[in-house]
Amino acid sequence: QSVLTQPPSASGTPGQRVTISCSGSSSNIGSNYVYWYQQLPGTAPKLLIYSYNQRPSGVPDRFSGSKSGTSASLAISGLRSEDEADYYCAAWDDSLSGPVVFGGGTKLTVL
Amino acid sequence: QITLKESGPTLVKPTQTLTLTCTFSGFSLSTSGVGVGWIRQPPGKALEWLALIYWDDDKRYSPSLKSRLTITTDTSKSQVVLTMTKMDPVDTATYYCAHSLYSNLFDYWGQGTLVTVSS
């Protein structure tokens, strides 16, 4: 049981915009930075978004992050076949669950 | 460039102690703000954070595994070592180490190493 809650799956067609949600609490998303990671099949996770909505160098601007209250979202616009992967949210946590908590992951399928 | 690589046994027996080493390059764990963490992923399951050590030797552990984990560093060798006691088959997972710098949590990852717990 992950501290952060994500939908287990999401899907879209090429060119579409999809969003993946991440729900937490006041001790994590509500008061701390949120991170998003992309994990392609058989590979290590890769940082996509940090500090709510910043992208590391090399990450396309098709990926964006947002936060509202105790929830965060990852949006992918102009969906491409190579975006098919597992996506994880993470956050610092000030409670006894912390200091780092992950979501359960969302498998994105490009139809 | 920053690289990390995990090493250790691929197979351990139940009740044994697991020792994993993360050997890194491209940064120093003596630099302010730098941290190295361990994260694991059971086959087909989600990521789980295990431990984190900072440049000032501050150490943090997952509350649910704290009694079984120890994280240490050998700065001269650019290595971080994680030990986990009382291994159980449910601990079978790919274990990753990753770099952090201030608010950049786990911005670089190792390739991971699969550890199987079986008699």
Side-chain angles (χ1 to χ4, degrees):
Chain A
Q1 186 85 5
S2 301
V3 173
L4 304 180
T5 301
Q6 299 179 237
S9 63
S11 63
T13 57
Q16 266 191 332
R17 181 178 187 271
V18 297
T19 61
I20 297 172
S21 63
C22 176
S23 176
S25 67
S26 58
S27 66
N28 42 64
I29 293 177
S31 55
N32 290 297
Y33 288 138
V34 180
Y35 304 83
W36 289 93
Y37 301 88
Q38 177 193 59
Q39 187 176 33
L40 297 170
T43 69
K46 168 190 169 184
L47 180 64
L48 270 186
I49 298 289
Y50 66 96
S51 303
Y52 309 132
N53 59 3
Q54 302 299 303
R55 290 183 307 277
S57 174
V59 174
D61 59 7
R62 301 186 296 105
F63 295 90
S64 63
S66 64
K67 190 191 93 159
S68 178
T70 58
S71 293
S73 293
L74 172 71
I76 309 172
S77 60
L79 195 63
R80 305 174 70 161
S81 58
E82 55 261 40
D83 298 332
E84 186 160 294
D86 293 325
Y87 293 84
Y88 293 90
C89 60
W92 298 101
D93 193 303
D94 300 326
S95 75
L96 295 178
S97 301
V100 178
V101 290
F102 278 95
T106 298
K107 180 173 181 56
L108 175 63
T109 301
V110 181
L111 302 171
Chain B
Q1 78 279 20
I2 290 175
T3 64
L4 305 98
K5 187 172 184 179
E6 307 84 354
S7 60
T10 58
L11 179 67
V12 298
K13 290 181 167 49
T15 75
Q16 285 187 336
T17 294
L18 170 69
T19 299
L20 294 172
T21 300
C22 176
T23 303
F24 57 84
S25 64
F27 67 94
S28 171
L29 201 40
S30 301
T31 301
S32 178
V34 172
V36 173
W38 285 93
I39 305 98
R40 71 178 179 179
Q41 184 174 36
K45 296 189 177 181
L47 300 170
E48 178 185 19
W49 171 72
L50 299 177
L52 190 54
I53 188 166
Y54 292 97
W55 82 99
D56 58 359
D57 208 38
D58 185 17
K59 301 169 186 177
R60 304 297 176 96
Y61 297 99
S62 165
S64 62
L65 293 167
K66 185 174 183 178
S67 64
R68 298 173 53 204
L69 296 173
T70 303
I71 189 170
T72 59
T73 181
D74 184 335
T75 306
S76 62
K77 293 184 179 180
S78 293
Q79 292 181 330
V80 171
V81 176
L82 181 76
T83 60
M84 180 180 290
T85 62
K86 302 175 184 177
M87 293 294 285
D88 183 273
V90 300
D91 296 313
T92 293
T94 296
Y95 287 76
Y96 297 98
C97 62
H99 167 275
S100 287
L101 177 62
Y102 290 116
S103 63
N104 280 7
L105 178 65
F106 304 146
D107 50 358
Y108 295 91
W109 294 63
Q111 63 189 27
T113 185
L114 176 61
V115 178
T116 301
V117 184
S118 174
S119 55

